[in-house]
Amino acid sequence: MTLSIICNDNKLDRWIDALKACDPSLDVQVWPNESNRGDVEFALCWKHPEGVLQEYPNLRCVCSMGAGIDFMLNDARFPRHLPVIRLIDPSLAHAMYEYILTVVMYYFRDLDIYRAQQAQSNWRVHINRPMSKTTIAVMGLGKLGEYAASRLALMGFKVTGWSRSQKSIKGVKAFAGDEALDEFVSTADLLVCLLPLTGQTRGILNSGLFNKMPKGACLINVARGQHLVEKDLIDALDKGQLRGACLDVFSQEPLPAEHPFWKNDKILLTPHCSSLTDPASVAPQIVENYHRMKKGEPLINQVDIERGY
Ligand code: GLV
């Protein structure tokens, strides 16, 4: 019985070591060099090549190497009858919160404006609003969104949140469903996207939404590049409807060198590093699920593949 790691990264030693440290008897192999694909029952995947999972006749479970599973939905030949699990990890949620907090403070304390002024030797002070009058609007109140929203509220910001179903989070004004989206964004000084990527959320960050936000608001996208209509963002920044955008995720990754986002001085850009999975931190839950699968017990962190998260 084999666990195979199926992804395009060739630096997998940390993953193999972490899995083996949890269970030295585990047979961990790496695509495409498994000794026998018929032995593989558990696949640990990240952006696997389309259709490749069809080559494992005895596969019983597929686990994402991250929090998201949208790459599985993009594979038209994904074996949808198999249970799918994802990683839920407190250190992943905390790292995401750190990133969001850093960017929120950057805009909140006008560092983008001072950076632009510096380029023109311009000494001009801006009086910024207090935290209690600044609204951080978090789209997506899953594990990561809930964690970030509740901590930003503890910092003293006004925090709102939006999700498909109604949530209740201390210190956060929660909105739910399509009918509440306009009201939710109407007060968003900083909009943080942490939504799962599904048919309903693809392209949700578009000019219709930007135009309903307060003029001069900022966007932080740490979810998926496909949530954003890129041209609409550039238009909104050009017109001043949005003051700035921080993007960690892109439709095409790595972002091509000729992409206009690189040179846009209203865009702060990072290479999908807002929250990186630490193999040592997540290996115990992967190995736990591997043993549960073997014993036919219910899996932890199972995803509803039809719902998409
Ligand atoms: C990263 O983007 C993840 O889904 O973990």
Side-chain angles (χ1 to χ4, degrees), residues 115-132:
R115 182 91 194 121
Q117 286 185 193
Q118 184 178 340
Q120 296 167 347
S121 312
N122 180 0
W123 182 279
R124 183 172 163 222
V125 174
H126 301 270
I127 310 293
N128 63 297
R129 268 191 281 176
M131 283 184 176
S132 59

Side-chain angles (χ1 to χ4, degrees), residues 92-142:
L92 208 60
H94 192 76
M96 182 59 90
Y97 164 63
E98 284 172 4
Y99 181 96
I100 294 169
L101 177 62
T102 306
V103 181
V104 162
M105 295 310 289
Y106 174 79
Y107 288 121
F108 173 62
R109 292 306 303 261
D110 296 330
L111 293 184
D112 57 328
I113 297 172
Y114 291 122
R115 182 91 194 121
Q117 286 185 193
Q118 184 178 340
Q120 296 167 347
S121 312
N122 180 0
W123 182 279
R124 183 172 163 222
V125 174
H126 301 270
I127 310 293
N128 63 297
R129 268 191 281 176
M131 283 184 176
S132 59
K133 295 207 165 102
T134 302
T135 300
I136 319 288
V138 180
M139 292 183 97
L141 295 173

